[in-house]
Amino acid sequence: MGLRTLTCHGVCPGAVDIVDDPFDGAARAVIDVEVHGGLVPRASASSLVGCVIETATAHDGETGAMIAEAVAETARRHTEADTVSVTLTLDAAREDAPCASVSWHAHAGEASPDPRAADTHMSTTAAHVTHDTAGGAAPQPHAAVVSMESASPHAARLFRDVIVALDAAPNTQIDGISPLYHAMTADGNDTRTAVVTLGTTMDVAALTAFLNAASRAHDGDVALHIIDIDGVDERERARIDDGGAGNRAAILAPWMDMDPDATFHGDPLAFLLASAPDAPFAGLESDHWIIGGKQ
């Protein structure tokens, strides 16, 4: 009988940013991957390791679950296996860490025909569901503000695609959309910007990962940032990359057009806009761009 299972333990993807890392980057990430069936007898272990590292690196800036799922699905296609199981683990590097380790598990392909494996999966799932429903409160909704920026000539279309994706995310709803602005960057390039407000149960890590994935889906042609979100603690807030929104008229102006009473870190937008160095170079392009077609 030929080889039916290939397992690679402790694959080190290097410095991958996992946005829901509870150790704030002070942990070592390792990935275990196990492929079963299909064309596994033809699979190369070294090629599989390279595939795992490349995929994890490509999904830098996403949640641990999203990275594990991406590795599992890519490894399944790469090896043409029937099923792939992946475990992504972060081991604490400090004794005062909040926990010893965190792991995310993902599975790609059809369910295992082995009854023992199926029973194990069912009991694990049942225990997980019981824990979630009995011990955890329902996710709390957050009001968030997200900026969109692109130098692409198709910026408006890219922004509409992002808005559709956000509005389709579970427990997320778009509440407001700003006008489209045209601005000039410090290096003299043209850029377009817009801002949206939304209600979502995603926390900072999950929303950041979603935005990173959305940007990557458009080949990085659109930059997406959380510029404000309520109901989060200071530790979460410290992890927000707002793209320097507080001193950029290209972001403040469309935001203020949408919500004149909004504040950023306690300061009225009008106050910040008056001192923004790019204020002379940011202006309204369209207030009906969201409907598409000719502006």
Side-chain angles (χ1 to χ4, degrees):
M1 181 180 293
L3 176 70
R4 299 295 293 168
T5 300
L6 173 61
T7 304
C8 296
H9 288 295
V11 179
C12 299
V16 174
D17 177 24
I18 301 174
V19 295
D20 53 343
D21 170 10
F23 309 117
D24 295 327
R28 176 172 175 264
V30 295
I31 299 174
D32 298 328
V33 57
E34 188 171 285
V35 297
H36 307 270
L39 298 183
V40 168
R42 303 179 188 176
S44 161
S46 60
S47 178
L48 176 59
V49 169
C51 170
V52 170
I53 293 173
E54 181 179 353
T55 303
T57 302
H59 287 266
D60 182 81
E62 298 183 13
T63 64
M66 294 170 74
I67 294 172
E69 288 174 359
V71 169
E73 184 55 39
T74 304
R76 187 185 67 82
R77 293 196 304 267
H78 180 79
T79 60
E80 298 185 63
D82 289 337
T83 62
V84 175
S85 297
V86 167
T87 299
L88 167 60
T89 302
L90 289 178
D91 290 317
R94 302 192 315 263
E95 292 185 359
D96 61 346
C99 59
S101 66
V102 175
S103 296
W104 295 270
H105 308 278
H107 182 85
E110 297 180 0
S112 170
D114 183 348
R116 292 172 299 174
D119 289 343
T120 301
H121 181 265
M122 289 174 63
S123 63
T124 302
T125 302
H128 181 67
V129 171
T130 301
H131 173 76
D132 284 350
T133 55
Q140 295 301 307
H142 304 285
V145 185
V146 170
S147 67
M148 305 180 290
E149 182 169 7
S150 177
S152 167
H154 309 295
R157 177 177 57 79
L158 295 176
F159 295 169
R160 287 192 290 269
D161 288 348
V162 170
I163 290 170
V164 169
L166 277 168
D167 202 46
N171 300 315
T172 299
Q173 177 178 316
I174 297 295
D175 294 326
I177 302 172
S178 79
L180 180 69
Y181 265 65
H182 172 270
M184 185 175 293
T185 61
D187 55 7
N189 292 323
D190 290 334
T191 187
R192 266 82 179 173
T193 60
V195 172
V196 297
T197 56
L198 58 138
T200 182
T201 56
M202 287 188 279
D203 60 12
V204 169
L207 183 54
T208 298
F210 187 98
L211 297 178
N212 288 342
S215 176
R216 188 174 291 115
H218 292 92
D219 300 320
D221 286 342
V222 55
L224 304 169
H225 294 280
I226 302 171
I227 52 178
D228 195 25
I229 186 168
D230 69 2
V232 299
D233 59 31
E234 290 306 312
R235 182 173 179 273
E236 280 191 287
R237 189 171 295 280
R239 302 182 70 170
I240 295 175
D241 173 13
D242 60 29
N247 62 358
R248 296 195 61 209
I251 303 300
L252 296 169
W255 185 7
M256 191 171 74
D257 274 359
M258 178 180 59
D259 185 359
D261 298 324
T263 60
F264 182 72
H265 295 176
D267 292 320
L269 298 188
F271 171 77
L272 297 172
L273 185 57
S275 58
D278 63 333
F281 310 105
L284 176 68
E285 179 165 313
S286 173
D287 58 5
H288 57 275
W289 65 277
I290 193 62
I291 63 176
K294 188 175 181 179
Q295 302 299 313

